[in-house]
């Protein structure tokens, strides 16, 4: 038994989303600033480079909002990985494709939760902003962009998996 085109496209997009999400939490570039050297804040690791001195990386003490975001992203990654496995299992058991759609939808919910809650943490002491407002001296880094790409890729994957968005082949 073979997978149809939409399932193959969906599986490939879910895989790409998983890579983006895992990459985003692995890198310390969620929030960056160049004031007084380079500060890169991440969910798993943060790094500081004071002018030309060696970079010092450490495990950050996350605010409650960032803990919730990290846990939501990790659960979302687990859901995306499970979705890929279920799509592959649908080669032998067709009913698992239906389950894959729901697990993929759950991943979308967890990623969206993280996307809404993460900016509330801009008010933490290290940044000094307000919820949903970064100070002018800070900007979102590549890790945050990878996470947003993971979120959108998961949404598009789910549309293909649910056969809502049908391309014309």
């Amino acid at each position: 038994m073979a997978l149809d085109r939409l399932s193959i496209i969906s599986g490939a997009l879910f895989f790409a989303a998983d890579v983006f999400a895992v990459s985003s939490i692995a890198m310390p570039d969620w929030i960056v600033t160049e004031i007084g050297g380079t500060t890169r804040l991440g969910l798993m690791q943060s790094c500081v480079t004071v002018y030309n001195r060696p970079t010092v990386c450490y495990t950050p003490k996350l605010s409650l909002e960032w803990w919730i975001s990290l846990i939501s992203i990790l659960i979302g990654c687990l859901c995306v990985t499970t979705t890929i496995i279920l799509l592959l299992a649908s080669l032998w058991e067709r009913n698992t494709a239906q389950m894959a759609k729901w697990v993929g939808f759950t991943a979308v919910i967890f990623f969206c939760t993280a996307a809404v809650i993460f900016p509330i943490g801009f008010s933490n002491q290290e940044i000094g902003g307000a919820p949903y407002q970064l100070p002018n001296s800070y900007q979102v880094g590549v890790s945050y962009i990878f996470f947003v790409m993971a979120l959108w890729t998961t949404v598009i994957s789910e549309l293909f998996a649910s056969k809502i968005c049908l391309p014309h082949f």
Side-chain angles (χ1 to χ4, degrees), residues 85-155:
I85 292 167
L86 289 170
L87 283 173
L88 288 173
S90 71
L91 282 168
W92 297 278
E93 182 63 44
R94 200 71 181 142
N95 295 336
T96 61
Q98 187 67 25
M99 239 187 309
K101 293 175 194 176
W102 286 106
V103 176
F105 181 69
T106 305
V108 171
I109 290 171
F110 278 106
F111 283 163
C112 286
T113 300
V116 169
I117 292 176
F118 179 77
I120 296 172
F122 292 168
S123 62
N124 77 27
Q125 189 176 12
E126 218 167 349
I127 297 174
Y132 299 104
Q133 291 183 321
L134 272 176
N136 290 335
S137 56
Y138 287 82
Q139 58 191 13
V140 295
V142 70
S143 295
Y144 187 76
I145 293 167
F146 272 26
F147 167 67
V148 171
M149 289 173 63
L151 170 62
W152 281 108
T153 307
T154 305
V155 169

Side-chain angles (χ1 to χ4, degrees), residues 35-140:
I35 303 290
T38 302
T39 302
R40 299 173 10 222
L41 303 174
L43 296 177
M44 302 284 283
Q45 178 181 3
S46 293
C47 297
V48 177
T49 306
V50 180
Y51 298 107
N52 292 328
R53 295 184 184 152
T55 300
V56 176
C57 294
Y58 59 94
T59 303
K61 293 184 182 200
L62 299 177
S63 63
L64 176 63
E65 298 86 8
W66 285 12
W67 266 114
I68 293 170
S69 296
L70 176 61
I71 291 167
S72 295
I73 293 168
L74 291 172
I75 294 171
C77 288
L78 183 66
C79 289
V80 169
T81 302
T82 304
T83 301
I84 294 167
I85 292 167
L86 289 170
L87 283 173
L88 288 173
S90 71
L91 282 168
W92 297 278
E93 182 63 44
R94 200 71 181 142
N95 295 336
T96 61
Q98 187 67 25
M99 239 187 309
K101 293 175 194 176
W102 286 106
V103 176
F105 181 69
T106 305
V108 171
I109 290 171
F110 278 106
F111 283 163
C112 286
T113 300
V116 169
I117 292 176
F118 179 77
I120 296 172
F122 292 168
S123 62
N124 77 27
Q125 189 176 12
E126 218 167 349
I127 297 174
Y132 299 104
Q133 291 183 321
L134 272 176
N136 290 335
S137 56
Y138 287 82
Q139 58 191 13
V140 295

Side-chain angles (χ1 to χ4, degrees), residues 2-10 87 90-91 94 160 163:
L3 290 173
D4 62 342
R5 280 185 182 172
L6 289 178
S7 295
I8 292 169
I9 292 170
S10 179
L87 283 173
S90 71
L91 282 168
R94 200 71 181 142
F160 280 122
K163 296 177 175 44

